[in-house]
């Protein structure tokens, strides 16, 4: 559980069973800015209906998708600034067509995610569609950002490494991409 050590109340859900829990041992995350903890069950509170569990899961997955969109935007912003500042062979690397095309691909991917996240928040789009698209776009932004920055992108001196770690953690948080693709496929088959 994220920041479980400072939470007033920690609830653990296993299937439909809800239990009051407390923070356990600290866990490591690929995102060094996240504080994760195991949870120890204290007392079973009861059961909740499946719709409530699904709604809570969708809310968390939607928040995760919104964070991924924000991370992708920040990575793109930092990468564009770096491409304008870094010079190679007497000119800014951002002036090279290969760099421009990669940055444009990221911009387009992120522009497609925004309406999906907003639509999912309004209930017009399945949350899984927003989560998958946001994860793919943020991952693309990470790859392009790292390629444009080069080896400096891995270092702690460059904030890009923090954003890449955040994306890596969020892509699988609240359901892996394959989990959300399967949910989306079920939704599309059911909509026929």
């Amino acid at each position: 559980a994220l920041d479980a050590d400072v939470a007033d109340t920690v609830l653990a859900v296993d299937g439909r069973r809800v239990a009051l829990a407390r923070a356990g041992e600290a866990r490591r995350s690929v995102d060094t800015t996240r504080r994760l903890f195991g949870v120890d069950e204290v007392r079973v509170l009861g059961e909740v209906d499946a719709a409530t569990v699904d709604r809570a899961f969708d809310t968390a997955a939607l928040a995760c998708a919104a964070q991924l969109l924000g991370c992708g935007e920040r990575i793109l912003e930092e990468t564009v600034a770096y491409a304008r500042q870094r010079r190679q062979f007497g000119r800014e690397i951002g002036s090279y067509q290969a760099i421009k095309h990669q940055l444009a691909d990221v911009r387009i991917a992120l522009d497609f995610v925004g309406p999906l996240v907003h639509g999912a928040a309004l209930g017009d789009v399945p949350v899984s569609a927003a989560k998958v698209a946001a994860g793919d776009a943020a991952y693309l932004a990470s790859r392009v950002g790292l390629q444009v920055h080069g080896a400096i992108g891995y270092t702690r001196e460059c904030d890009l490494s923090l954003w890449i770690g955040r994306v890596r953690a969020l892509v699988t948080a609240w359901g892996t991409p394959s989990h959300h693709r399967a949910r989306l496929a079920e939704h599309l088959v059911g909509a026929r």
Side-chain angles (χ1 to χ4, degrees), residues 2 39 43 63 70 127 130 138 146 167:
L2 186 63
V39 291
R43 175 174 41 111
V127 170
L146 191 55
V167 168

Side-chain angles (χ1 to χ4, degrees), residues 16-92:
R16 290 181 33 203
R17 190 172 63 103
V18 178
L20 187 61
R22 62 180 160 76
E25 286 186 34
R27 305 280 172 97
R28 292 179 55 126
S29 172
V30 294
D31 178 2
T32 57
T33 65
R34 287 167 50 105
R35 300 175 52 247
L36 298 178
F37 293 85
V39 291
D40 300 324
E41 186 177 293
V42 174
R43 175 174 41 111
V44 174
L45 298 175
E47 289 192 3
V48 293
D49 61 291
T52 301
V53 173
D54 287 344
R55 224 175 13 260
F57 180 82
D58 280 348
T59 301
L62 177 60
C64 190
Q67 279 188 302
L68 282 164
L69 175 58
C71 289
E73 291 286 354
R74 179 60 187 259
I75 291 169
L76 179 61
E77 179 184 313
E78 286 189 16
T79 303
V80 167
Y82 182 79
R84 287 181 175 151
Q85 173 242 329
R86 176 83 166 96
R87 297 183 68 79
Q88 190 70 33
F89 304 114
R91 43 193 271 216
E92 296 173 351

